[in-house]
């Protein structure tokens, strides 16, 4: 943030949340624009071209949170962080399926939000870097060219499906991947509902790459949503 | 009402027809007897004719009643005279002894017919009484078999339609000034609006005058009132019986006009009156049950309100107070808090608002579950994954106290990941909170036959008394040993667990082991897992 400040658009119909989030972000040096309605959000998105959008997916109105999410996705792949309440599981999953990057459940702590914001911004330029040749985190490394996975220097034998899962998750590291996205990417769109398949293969994959498979640290489960490959 | 007169005419015509039929049969029988006797006349003494005619006449008396028998006796008398007494084929009788035989035969025939027909009437009456008793028995038996209260009155009305010749039976329940139809049988019957209104009006009269309307023998009690209401040309069709309970009039049982017209028989009237008593008892019982249920609901609501109030006053107010004090300390213009004290105040606000959040979400989750508004979104779940997610959210020092033992053949189950994770996190957090500090907690996952999955969370500490083992899952219940302890609890966690497990058609229970209480959750697999 040494150069020009990063612009963040925050959309929420609850003014208290809007005020608190703005305060937290401004304190960290971000340039914050707020909107409390769907139509205003799109207007300001077009006027300011923010680098990141924080969006309450449960916002009511003619243009609700999901509509705004869909509209923003049609205009580009700017990272979107969804805010939702515990009762809004279905909207949350819908928004993530639509391509939102991450989510936070209200009430959340500001440090948690800042961490997600930083992660999303860090990822943003790399998003286009799908032509990466390798991935390394901790003692795990993936060589995309040779399709070889090593852990602590030793090669890990993965089945084709396990490799494809790991490939997709590491290329989207630190980002929430929904069941539907992962199933479509690895098995094909016609398998997008078959979570049983996913549970079994992710279980096997964890057996091979996690230090303690019963306490996974790399491929973590996002309850009712999907998985996230966590960077240490 | 013209129809009633017509009905009367029809009934009279019908009973006349019965008599004519009886008469014809009597004459035929006598003619047959005469023919047989004529054929056998050479083998019989003419004085013995009476022995043949007498059984025929008695048979007629038994079968067709007294009047047919009398006609039969006279015809027999004439036939005997005409065909068999000298001079034959005339009604003249020359022998005085024959005259005597004839007269004695006639008297004997009439007297025995009288006796025989009386015996028959008594037998009929006895049979009618037996029928009545059997009918009532059948009715009350089938009523006592009816378990659901709201089915009893319709079933009673149906019985009455089956056992009497009423075209329909309606039971009206009077609540204040409103008449509710409690039963209407047969269900196919639909009455025009005007007739429904008429039925309500006559029911009103029956209740006001406390009189059975429509029965024979007490017309003077009700005819005036009905005439006042409907005008002299009106007459109610069917029976109206007011239903009494100790609280007064609760309704009316109305039996529609007889099928095929005519007046109800005494048996039918008796049946209607008896079943009306049943109906009154049933309505009284239903009203009492409704009152009792209402009282119980009020009491339950009261208890819940008390529990909620005490929860709000303690569990909600103390974190709020802590937050308020910390915040005002931080804001105070002349506050000279050093860095550590500022940190402490901020930490207090953070921790206490987390506590409030947890409490409010537990309350909301529980009420959503109990109202059926939070149905499980079932999907395939790996229980080890569920437990790992729970442990991942705990403080590392706490999570390290938890030992997870999962059997290798653990099946996937169909469950709502979020809800089941809530169960696991409540049980694990409870175990951490209430167990002897820094002792290990064991979570065991295993297959339960081929149909389910067991999750067992072992606590280390004092056993839970038998009387508390069920109560501990009730809302707002806190274990006796913890009621005054410093450990914060809301009595919502286990209630939430139970509500979720029940929504998953599973079971949750508490047992005591050597080392302390142990919670077991049994969940069905939900579908055949691969």
């Amino acid at each position: 943030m040494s150069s020009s400040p990063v612009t963040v658009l925050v959309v929420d119909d609850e003014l208290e949340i809007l005020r608190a989030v703005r305060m937290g972000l401004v304190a960290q040096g971000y340039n914050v624009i707020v909107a409390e309605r769907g139509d205003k959000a799109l207007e300001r998105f077009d006027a300011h071209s923010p680098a990141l959008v924080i969006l309450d997916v449960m916002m009511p109105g003619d243009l609700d949170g999901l509509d705004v999410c869909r509209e923003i996705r049609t205009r580009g792949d700017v990272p979107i962080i969804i805010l939702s309440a515990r009762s809004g599981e279905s909207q949350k999953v819908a928004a993530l399926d639509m391509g939102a990057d991450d989510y936070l459940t209200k009430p959340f702590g500001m440090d948690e939000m800042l961490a997600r914001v930083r992660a999303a911004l860090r990822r943003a330029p790399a998003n286009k870097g799908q032509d990466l040749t390798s991935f390394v985190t901790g003692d795990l490394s993936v060589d995309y060219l040779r399709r070889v996975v090593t852990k602590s220097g030793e090669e890990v034998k993965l089945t084709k499906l396990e490799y494809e899962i790991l490939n997709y998750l590491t290329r989207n590291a630190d980002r929430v991947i929904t069941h539907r996205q992962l199933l479509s990417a690895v098995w094909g769109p016609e398998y997008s509902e078959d979570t049983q398949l996913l549970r079994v293969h992710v279980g096997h994959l964890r057996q091979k790459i996690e230090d303690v498979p019963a306490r996974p640290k790399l491929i973590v489960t996002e309850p009712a949503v999907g998985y996230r490959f966590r960077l240490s | 009402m013209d129809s009633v007169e017509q009905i009367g005419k029809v009934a009279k015509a019908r009973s006349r027809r019965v008599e004519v039929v009886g008469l014809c049969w009597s004459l035929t029988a006598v003619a047959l007897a005469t023919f047989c006797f004529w054929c056998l006349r050479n083998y019989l003494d003419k004085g013995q004719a009476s022995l043949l005619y007498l059984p025929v006449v008695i048979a007629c008396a038994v079968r067709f009643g007294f009047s047919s028998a009398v006609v039969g006796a006279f015809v027999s008398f004439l036939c005997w005279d005409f065909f068999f007494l000298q001079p034959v084929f005339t009604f003249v009788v020359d022998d005085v002894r024959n005259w005597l035989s004839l007269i004695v035969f006639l008297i004997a025939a009439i007297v025995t017919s009288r006796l025989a027909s009386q015996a028959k009437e008594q037998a009929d009456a006895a049979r009618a009484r037996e029928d009545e008793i059997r009918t009532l028995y059948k009715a009350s038996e089938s009523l006592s078999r009816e378990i659901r209260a709201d089915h009893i009155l319709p079933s009673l009305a149906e019985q009455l339609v089956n056992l009497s010749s009423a075209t329909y039976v309606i039971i009206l329940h009077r609540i204040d000034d409103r008449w509710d139809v409690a039963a209407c049988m047969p269900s196919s019957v639909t009455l025009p609006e005007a007739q429904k209104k008429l039925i309500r009006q006559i029911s009103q009269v029956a209740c006001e005058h406390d009189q059975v309307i429509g029965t024979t023998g007490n017309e003077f009690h009700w005819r005036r009132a009905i005439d006042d209401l409907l005008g002299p040309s009106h007459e109610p069709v069917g029976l109206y019986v007011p239903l009494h309970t100790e609280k007064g009039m609760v309704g009316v049982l109305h039996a529609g006009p007889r099928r095929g017209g005519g007046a109800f028989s005494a048996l039918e009237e008796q049946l209607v009156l008896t079943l009306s008593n049943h109906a009154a008892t049933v309505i009284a019982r239903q009203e009492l049950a409704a009152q009792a249920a209402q009282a119980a609901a009020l009491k339950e609501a009261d208890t819940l309100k008390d529990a909620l109030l005490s929860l709000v006053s303690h569990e909600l107010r103390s974190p709020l107070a802590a937050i308020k004090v910390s915040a005002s300390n931080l804001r105070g213009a002349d506050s000279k808090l050093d860095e550590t004290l500022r940190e402490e105040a901020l930490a207090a606000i953070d921790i206490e608002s987390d506590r409030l959040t947890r409490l409010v979400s537990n309350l909301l989750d529980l009420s959503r579950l109990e109202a059926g508004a939070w149905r499980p979104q079932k999907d395939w779940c790996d229980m080890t994954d569920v437990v790992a997610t729970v442990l991942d959210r705990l403080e590392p020092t706490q999570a390290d106290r938890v030992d997870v033992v999962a059997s290798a053949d653990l099946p996937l189950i169909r469950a709502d990941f979020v809800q089941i994770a809530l169960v696991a996190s409540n049980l694990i957090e409870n175990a951490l909170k209430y167990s002897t500090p820094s002792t290990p907690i064991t979570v065991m996952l295993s297959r339960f036959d081929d149909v389910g999955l067991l999750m067992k969370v072992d606590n280390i500490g004092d056993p839970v008394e038998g009387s508390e083992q069920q109560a501990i899952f009730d809302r707002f219940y806190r274990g006796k040993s913890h009621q005054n302890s410093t450990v914060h609890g809301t009595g919502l966690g286990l209630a939430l667990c139970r509500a979720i497990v029940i929504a998953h058609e599973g079971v949750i229970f508490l047992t005591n082991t050597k080392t302390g209480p142990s919670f077991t959750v049994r969940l069905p697999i939900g579908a055949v897992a691969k």
Side-chain angles (χ1 to χ4, degrees):
Chain A
M1 267 143 271
S2 52
S3 54
S4 63
V6 177
T7 305
V8 178
L9 172 63
V10 184
V11 188
D12 198 317
D13 57 319
E14 288 174 81
L15 293 178
E16 292 78 10
I17 302 268
L18 218 49
R19 193 162 53 218
V21 170
R22 173 191 208 150
M23 192 168 69
L25 290 172
V26 166
Q28 293 295 313
Y30 293 99
N31 178 25
V32 181
I33 305 153
V34 295
E36 68 282 359
R37 284 212 328 260
D39 49 350
K40 291 228 177 96
L42 290 178
E43 210 172 273
R44 284 174 198 164
F45 181 87
D46 292 338
H48 299 273
S49 321
L52 177 87
V53 179
I54 296 172
L55 172 67
D56 177 9
V57 80
M58 296 182 70
M59 184 173 57
D62 290 339
L63 207 60
D64 66 17
L66 275 181
D67 295 331
V68 175
C69 184
R70 193 179 299 115
E71 279 299 316
I72 290 176
R73 264 290 156 267
T74 62
R75 290 163 205 218
D77 48 9
V78 53
I80 302 174
I81 296 175
I82 294 296
L83 305 182
S84 79
R86 289 176 54 141
S87 54
E89 290 285 335
S90 54
Q91 286 109 312
K92 180 170 82 186
V93 176
L96 290 166
D97 274 337
M98 245 173 235
D101 294 66
D102 209 336
Y103 70 90
L104 277 166
T105 305
K106 291 180 188 175
F108 47 81
M110 201 57 214
D111 43 355
E112 202 182 348
M113 164 165 275
L114 289 172
R116 301 291 170 91
V117 167
R118 276 193 294 272
L121 288 172
R122 190 170 55 225
R123 222 170 26 235
N127 248 357
K128 295 170 193 83
Q130 290 292 318
D131 51 350
L132 280 175
T133 56
S134 67
F135 172 90
V136 181
T137 179
D139 57 2
L140 184 83
S141 67
V142 183
D143 183 336
Y144 295 132
L145 294 179
R146 292 170 47 227
R147 300 171 71 88
V148 172
V149 179
T150 55
K151 182 164 175 67
S152 312
E154 284 182 33
E155 187 178 336
V156 183
K157 291 273 177 213
L158 296 183
T159 64
K160 185 173 174 296
L161 284 171
E162 286 159 10
Y163 176 80
E164 290 300 333
I165 294 171
L166 186 64
N167 178 27
Y168 191 80
L169 287 175
T170 49
R171 280 179 193 273
N172 293 285
D174 223 3
R175 182 174 166 192
V176 179
I177 300 300
T178 64
H179 295 137
R180 185 185 292 270
Q181 287 168 339
L182 192 52
L183 280 162
S184 304
V186 175
W187 278 270
E190 65 273 26
Y191 289 92
S192 65
E193 306 291 335
D194 201 345
T195 48
Q196 192 178 0
L197 212 55
L198 199 54
R199 298 273 178 229
V200 172
H201 288 279
V202 169
H204 292 164
L205 182 56
R206 278 175 172 157
Q207 294 289 339
K208 294 178 182 176
I209 63 164
E210 296 282 356
D211 290 337
V212 186
R215 298 274 296 273
K217 296 287 174 219
L218 298 171
I219 301 174
V220 294
T221 301
E222 293 290 345
V225 175
Y227 298 96
R228 181 203 298 266
F229 192 95
R230 190 147 64 186
L231 295 173
S232 45
Chain B
M1 271 185 195
D2 295 345
S3 58
V4 171
E5 278 166 32
Q6 276 169 5
I7 287 166
K9 275 182 200 156
V10 168
K12 267 180 209 155
R14 176 184 281 193
S15 70
R16 213 175 298 137
R17 199 160 54 235
V18 171
E19 275 171 31
V20 169
V21 168
L23 216 58
C24 291
W25 274 112
S26 309
L27 294 178
T28 315
V30 172
L32 264 172
T34 308
F35 176 72
C36 291
F37 195 35
W38 180 257
C39 296
L40 302 169
R41 65 187 181 281
N42 296 331
Y43 308 100
L44 290 170
D45 181 358
K46 291 171 188 68
Q48 287 168 342
S50 68
L51 293 180
L52 279 177
Y53 280 119
L54 208 53
V56 173
V57 172
I58 292 170
C60 288
V62 170
R63 185 72 188 81
F64 305 111
F66 184 57
S67 49
S68 306
V70 169
V71 173
F74 266 108
V75 176
S76 306
F77 171 89
L78 294 176
C79 288
W80 188 10
D81 180 4
F82 191 75
F83 290 107
F84 303 111
L85 294 184
Q86 293 298 333
V88 183
F89 303 128
T90 64
F91 288 111
V92 180
V93 179
D94 49 7
D95 193 336
V96 178
R97 278 176 308 176
N98 283 346
W99 263 115
L100 206 61
S101 310
L102 271 176
I103 298 298
V104 169
F105 164 74
L106 194 60
I107 291 169
I110 289 173
V111 169
T112 47
S113 314
R114 179 84 205 134
L115 290 174
S117 65
Q118 265 175 2
K120 189 207 174 224
E121 273 163 24
Q122 276 165 9
D124 282 351
R127 196 172 306 124
R129 268 200 302 280
E130 194 190 315
D131 280 353
E132 182 186 335
I133 290 167
R134 192 180 304 126
T135 315
L136 286 175
Y137 174 73
K138 232 164 89 186
S140 54
E141 189 196 39
S142 65
L143 287 180
S144 57
R145 258 205 311 270
E146 195 64 71
I147 294 163
R148 290 190 46 190
D150 49 341
H151 285 181
I152 294 181
L153 288 178
S155 154
L156 190 145
E158 200 179 5
Q159 287 289 327
L160 204 44
V161 170
N162 291 341
L163 299 175
S164 76
S165 49
T167 41
Y168 60 86
V169 170
I170 296 179
I171 299 173
L172 293 165
H173 183 190
R174 189 170 73 163
I175 303 162
D176 300 326
D177 278 337
R178 209 175 72 236
W179 291 94
D180 279 356
V181 178
C184 180
M185 282 290 161
S187 42
S188 56
V189 74
T190 46
L191 300 172
E193 225 18 81
Q195 195 176 354
K196 281 188 196 160
K197 194 174 165 225
L198 188 70
I199 289 172
R200 275 197 295 274
Q201 280 175 331
I202 300 174
S203 301
Q204 191 70 41
V205 171
C207 270
E208 272 166 20
H209 292 74
D210 192 7
Q211 260 312 319
V212 178
I213 291 177
T215 44
T216 43
N218 69 337
E219 286 91 342
F220 62 95
H221 282 308
W222 49 268
R223 181 63 51 73
R224 267 273 305 283
I226 295 298
D227 288 351
D228 286 351
L229 178 70
L230 306 168
S233 62
H234 282 84
E235 213 174 333
V237 181
L239 299 175
Y240 289 84
V241 186
L243 304 178
H244 281 282
T245 66
E246 57 267 47
K247 281 186 9 198
M249 221 68 81
V250 290
V252 163
L253 184 144
H254 165 49
R258 241 175 142 255
R259 284 191 287 269
F264 282 101
S265 70
L267 167 64
E268 286 171 333
E269 282 182 5
Q270 194 51 49
L271 191 64
V272 170
L273 292 175
T274 311
L275 287 186
S276 295
N277 279 338
H278 265 296
T281 319
V282 170
I283 289 180
R285 216 163 60 199
Q286 281 180 355
E287 285 187 347
L288 280 178
Q291 280 167 4
Q294 206 178 5
L298 279 177
K299 191 159 169 265
E300 160 96 12
D302 246 21
T303 326
L304 277 182
K305 205 175 68 193
D306 286 352
L308 190 62
L309 265 180
S310 75
L311 175 82
V312 168
S313 61
H314 182 249
E315 293 298 328
L316 281 180
R317 253 173 41 184
S318 57
L320 274 178
I323 291 170
K324 179 72 190 163
V325 169
S326 306
S328 46
N329 278 345
L330 288 171
R331 278 190 78 178
D334 54 348
S335 95
K336 301 205 168 47
L337 297 177
D338 63 22
E339 202 51 38
T340 7
L341 287 175
R342 280 177 59 86
E343 256 329 298
E344 259 177 41
L346 288 170
I349 292 176
D350 202 26
I351 291 169
E352 295 301 320
S353 54
D354 280 352
R355 221 174 105 196
L356 271 181
T357 305
R358 203 163 44 240
L359 175 61
V360 171
S361 11
N362 274 354
L363 258 179
L364 281 179
D365 289 346
L366 189 58
S367 57
R368 272 168 69 208
L369 272 169
E370 287 183 346
W374 194 20
R375 298 223 172 72
Q377 301 287 311
K378 288 187 187 169
D379 197 353
W380 290 106
C381 291
D382 180 349
M383 256 334 259
T384 49
D385 202 4
V386 172
V387 174
T389 311
V390 170
L391 297 183
D392 197 46
R393 286 195 217 136
L394 292 175
E395 294 276 318
T397 51
Q398 296 283 20
D400 288 343
R401 276 176 65 192
V402 182
D403 246 348
V404 183
V405 183
S407 63
D409 61 345
L410 209 60
L412 295 180
I413 57 166
R414 297 278 301 168
D416 185 317
F417 194 104
V418 177
Q419 291 188 2
I420 294 299
L422 211 53
V423 173
S425 86
N426 267 300
L427 293 181
I428 292 170
E429 279 174 29
N430 271 359
L432 291 169
K433 205 156 66 175
Y434 294 111
S435 286
T436 320
S438 64
T439 50
I441 303 299
T442 314
V443 179
M444 274 195 297
L445 299 170
S446 58
R447 180 183 270 268
F448 177 71
D449 291 342
D450 274 344
V451 293
L453 181 142
L454 287 182
M455 175 170 66
K456 215 157 147 270
V457 181
D458 290 336
N459 296 15
I460 294 187
D462 298 329
V464 174
E465 280 173 36
S467 60
E468 282 192 287
Q469 289 184 5
Q470 280 293 320
I472 203 165
F473 293 103
D474 287 345
R475 265 175 299 184
F476 305 126
Y477 184 88
R478 292 200 63 202
K480 287 194 185 114
S481 49
H482 301 297
Q483 269 158 2
N484 300 311
S485 79
T486 50
V487 180
H488 290 298
T490 57
L492 286 173
L494 288 177
L496 194 61
C497 289
R498 183 174 61 179
I500 291 173
V501 171
I502 288 173
H504 281 79
E505 288 149 10
V507 190
I508 184 169
F509 55 91
L510 167 74
T511 48
N512 284 313
T513 64
K514 265 180 272 172
T515 50
S518 164
F519 289 90
T520 305
V521 176
R522 198 166 69 213
L523 292 168
I525 291 177
V528 180
K530 279 177 197 164

